[in-house]
């Protein structure tokens, strides 16, 4: 077995909730040793959220694998001293406090450089650590609203719509993980250890693609169009004999192939549908004709046939269907992970595939403080010192 | 000025449209030298898409900065030979062909290893390169549908809803960029050069958070709730004197602060609203009372006041508002980039902030083939060879 990409990298992880823990989990998935520091009083609040089975939150388990847990009271100077000793041997510190909180704890950039001049500090926050909103508390729903993203999600009837998953947390966490690995490479190539951050609002704003470029070019806002493409037809959901299929022929070539496969090639000779502009104009009528043609076959039939012809096509799957999809199985995207004392937990897998060093589940999600003693021992604490710290209520 | 994190890294980029180009742009933003190989006949199709100003697509410009462009006909053996010479000196090859196409071009893993045993091959695709859907054409709308994501976006009235931006392209591209940098680190630490890939369907599936963990734990699908939180109240959009604000108090502590700030603390003594379960049950009545209370102040008033009290709160901004937001300006998230011959292009900025090596616009988005001669010269081609290739129609 080859080493993993980040084998040998040590991360001290102060994050909680989702954006920061997702960043730290990705570093752990890539092979880093991630030590999650949690409050001895209950730990990360997500331990109590989502569906709890046999005493373990599957939401927590799915987003905190490949970490070890140390329960340590950081509100007391003696706890902070332990943290500083752990940081002395670390490569990366991850945190998602509100900007300024690390400083308030005494962990200023100057102090951190004193403790460990090679330490890379990775922050995930709501709005960035500078600017008028830097001190605002972060929350996915608000980042979706402030970034303009919500205004592009929905239909004219719904108005601005929050998307279901907390995507701004996850995308910011992913950017932060990329920042961490990039900073590590730069440091190991002789550059400085540095601070890296990603924010929820700016991360989603960077993903608006043609919507942001269009808004910047014209000064006008995009119009929400639901499942219709703003400027392409046919495109969207259509009705096969046993349910909807999504079809996305993006250019004239694929429109011709699509209409050919469903027996409607003649429509391209019809003045109402001869080019894309006219098809958009007569979308309702075109969609009706397509629905009629598709009614003669099942979803499976059309999906197989259209994809074979190169026309992107698929089913709108419920989430449980997607999780049971054969492609998801082939990609090992649902893992079944034994968690001693809590049964076997199912969680989504590793979306980055490496040919020589495939990612792996090295540590199931730890119980709170499960590795407190082991990690402190590695940092040089003797058994008596650990007992003393525990007696004084600093450890969990 | 310090070097950038990926200074000295050479990328040969065969991608087009969005997922792959986004991955390659991120590598360029991080400092890599990215050589985008395009067909001499028009190049990347996105050059002709979106809003075109002074002969340049702002969509293309915003997602292909920090690259150089070489126009080279890869359909002819002589063109492929040029590509192989460029690959011999590269660290990373990025591609987003359908799985198998690289092999059909003769660039099998074995051949690539022969050309350059240190080459890392980074692929972005729709479904992954193995499994029953591997050969299907990729498209964001279809990946949204197949992954179960669409089924979680929307309201009970809308049904499954495509989200506005092509997020599966962008998230897969971001994962692929992280895979690339991680593989680079592993290689430079003595590991093997390897193939890395990320797919659109699996990337978005990895971001379903408590929705996927809940579905896996219960076997039941989440219910779409639009802007209401499924299990928390008050939460969502509320009406201030001059427009809506989004408010997300996620725990009892913040609910109490929220109601206190708006003069409704007494509601917590009302049996209808005494705990979260009862507040969810009586959400409509609670929301009405909150709207009434908020009507006495402006959006700006409440956003300032509630954030100061630690209650996450913001405005639902239109995209043009967000792009003009003072925080976005403070974070330098709208760049104005002179493009010789095409005026000044506005584009979104760099969401990862590095304290010592801030990312920068080193190359405006190139015209098709703008660096063909320079890149070939660097690879050792003499002026006469380049002229010969051009005379034979291989270059643009």
């Amino acid at each position: 077995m080859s080493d993993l990409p980040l084998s040998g990298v040590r991360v001290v992880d102060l994050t909680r909730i989702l954006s920061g823990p997702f960043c730290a989990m990705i570093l752990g998935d890539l092979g880093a040793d991630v030590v999650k520091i949690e409050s001895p009083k209950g730990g990360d609040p997500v331990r109590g959220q989502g569906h709890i089975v046999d005493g373990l939150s599957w939401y927590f388990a799915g987003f905190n694998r490949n970490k070890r847990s140390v329960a340590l009271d950081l509100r007391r100077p003696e706890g902070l001293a332990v943290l500083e000793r752990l940081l002395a041997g670390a490569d990366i510190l991850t945190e998602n406090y509100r900007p300024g909180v690390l400083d308030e704890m005494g962990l200023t950039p100057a102090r951190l450089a004193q403790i460990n001049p090679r330490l890379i500090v990775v922050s995930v926050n709501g709005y960035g650590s500078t600017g008028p909103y830097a001190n605002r508390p972060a929350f996915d729903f608000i980042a979706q609203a402030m970034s303009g993203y919500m205004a592009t999600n929905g239909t004219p009837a719904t108005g601005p719509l929050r998307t279901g998953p907390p995507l701004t947390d996850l995308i910011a966490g992913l950017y932060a993980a990329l920042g961490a690995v990039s900073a590590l490479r730069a440091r190991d190539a002789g550059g400085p250890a540095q601070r890296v951050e990603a924010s929820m609002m700016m991360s989603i704003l960077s993903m608006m693609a043609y919507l942001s470029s269009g808004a910047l070019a014209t000064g006008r806002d995009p119009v929400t169009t639901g499942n219709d493409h703003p400027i392409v037809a046919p495109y969207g959901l259509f009705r096969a004999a046993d349910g909807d299929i999504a079809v996305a022929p993006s250019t004239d070539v694929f429109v011709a192939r699509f209409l050919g496969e469903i027996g409607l090639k003649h429509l391209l000779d019809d003045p109402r549908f001869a080019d894309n502009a006219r098809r958009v104009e007569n979308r309702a009528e075109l969609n009706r004709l397509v629905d009629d043609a598709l009614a003669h076959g099942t979803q499976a039939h059309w999906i197989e046939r259209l994809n074979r012809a190169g026309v992107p096509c698929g089913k709108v799957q419920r989430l449980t269907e997607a999780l049971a999809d054969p492609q998801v199985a082939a990609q090992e995207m649902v893992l079944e992970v034994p968690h001693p004392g809590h049964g076997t937990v199912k969680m989504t897998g590793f979306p980055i595939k490496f040919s020589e060093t495939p990612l792996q589940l090295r540590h199931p999600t730890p119980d709170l403080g499960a590795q407190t003693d082991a990690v402190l021992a590695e940092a040089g604490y003797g058994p008596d010192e650990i007992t003393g710290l525990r007696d004084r209520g600093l450890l969990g």
Side-chain angles (χ1 to χ4, degrees), chain A residues 54 229 266 279 289 351 354 360 379 387:
Chain A
D54 290 338
H229 194 289
H266 59 277
R279 289 193 297 270
L289 292 165
F354 292 87
Q360 47 188 287
T387 303

Side-chain angles (χ1 to χ4, degrees), chain A residues 228 233-235 238 272-273 278-292:
Chain A
D228 290 333
Y235 178 107
F238 298 97
R272 293 172 301 165
F273 310 120
R278 279 176 283 180
R279 289 193 297 270
V280 169
E281 201 173 302
N282 298 299
R283 191 195 296 265
E285 176 62 10
L286 177 60
N287 287 1
R288 199 186 59 71
L289 292 165
V290 170
D291 279 345
D292 287 350

Side-chain angles (χ1 to χ4, degrees), chain A residues 229-235 249-256 258-259 264-265 267-287 290:
Chain A
H229 194 289
I231 53 169
V232 175
Y235 178 107
S250 57
T251 64
D252 281 347
V253 172
F254 291 101
V255 169
F258 173 44
L259 295 177
L264 293 181
K265 189 138 197 181
L267 291 186
L268 295 176
D269 301 323
D270 184 322
R272 293 172 301 165
F273 310 120
D275 63 30
N276 184 62
R278 279 176 283 180
R279 289 193 297 270
V280 169
E281 201 173 302
N282 298 299
R283 191 195 296 265
E285 176 62 10
L286 177 60
N287 287 1
V290 170

Side-chain angles (χ1 to χ4, degrees), chain A residues 124-299:
Chain A
V124 194
N125 50 44
Y127 302 96
S129 63
T130 58
Y133 310 159
N135 292 317
R136 291 189 181 179
F139 208 81
D140 168 69
F141 180 47
I142 311 302
Q144 288 194 33
M146 292 291 291
S147 62
Y149 166 73
M150 258 180 70
T152 70
N153 194 47
T155 69
T158 63
L161 197 66
R162 178 178 74 96
T163 195
L167 287 180
T168 70
D169 280 296
L170 296 150
I171 296 171
L174 178 54
Y175 268 123
L178 174 59
V181 180
S182 301
L184 194 68
R185 183 194 185 270
R187 186 201 71 176
D188 292 351
Q194 55 185 316
R195 281 167 287 120
V196 183
E197 68 175 54
S199 71
M200 294 156 67
M201 181 177 175
M202 306 311 154
S203 291
I204 188 74
L205 189 64
S206 77
M207 291 203 171
M208 300 305 292
Y210 51 83
L211 300 170
S212 55
S213 52
L216 289 167
T218 66
R220 291 195 303 272
D221 284 294
V223 175
T224 54
T225 57
N227 290 328
D228 290 333
H229 194 289
I231 53 169
V232 175
Y235 178 107
L237 299 188
F238 298 97
R239 195 148 297 176
D242 55 348
D244 282 357
I245 59 172
V247 185
S250 57
T251 64
D252 281 347
V253 172
F254 291 101
V255 169
R257 285 199 206 172
F258 173 44
L259 295 177
E261 292 291 324
I262 66 176
L264 293 181
K265 189 138 197 181
H266 59 277
L267 291 186
L268 295 176
D269 301 323
D270 184 322
R272 293 172 301 165
F273 310 120
D275 63 30
N276 184 62
R278 279 176 283 180
R279 289 193 297 270
V280 169
E281 201 173 302
N282 298 299
R283 191 195 296 265
E285 176 62 10
L286 177 60
N287 287 1
R288 199 186 59 71
L289 292 165
V290 170
D291 279 345
D292 287 350
L294 292 173
H296 301 116
T298 61
Q299 288 175 312

